[in-house]
Amino acid sequence: AESVEFRFVEQISGLSKGNLSSHMSKLEAAGLIAISKSFRGKHPLTTLRITPLGRQSLSAYRVQLEKLVSNIPQTPPAD
């Protein structure tokens, strides 16, 4: 997605509003996401967008995870 609403991320992550807000502020300070605030009618709307640096960082993180998982020995099936 190009952007997502804060409420969507809150629902799928299971984090509280305060906890998610804290994480989002840190990601924004690191330049990994952009946060925009507006209104939909009379209701506040917070939208999150991953930045190019965020996409690069996410890609590098996935590569690291793949390497880590590929080095875990597979255990033989239990009899």
Side-chain angles (χ1 to χ4, degrees):
E2 288 297 317
S3 64
V4 293
E5 294 179 13
F6 182 91
R7 180 78 177 127
F8 173 76
V9 178
E10 179 187 9
Q11 289 174 340
I12 65 168
S13 70
L15 296 172
S16 68
K17 284 182 174 88
N19 197 334
L20 180 57
S21 180
S22 175
H23 287 292
M24 295 298 113
S25 293
K26 291 175 184 175
L27 291 170
E28 182 182 39
L32 302 176
I33 65 168
I35 300 174
S36 61
K37 296 184 181 263
S38 61
F39 284 89
R40 180 181 288 152
K42 294 183 180 183
H43 301 281
L45 178 66
T46 301
T47 305
L48 312 168
R49 183 180 51 80
I50 192 167
T51 64
L53 177 60
R55 287 198 188 278
Q56 289 174 346
S57 297
L58 180 58
S59 178
Y61 177 69
R62 286 180 171 165
V63 168
Q64 289 175 332
L65 281 179
E66 287 173 7
K67 287 179 184 177
L68 178 67
V69 170
S70 70
N71 288 327
I72 297 173
Q74 293 186 357
T75 57
D79 290 320

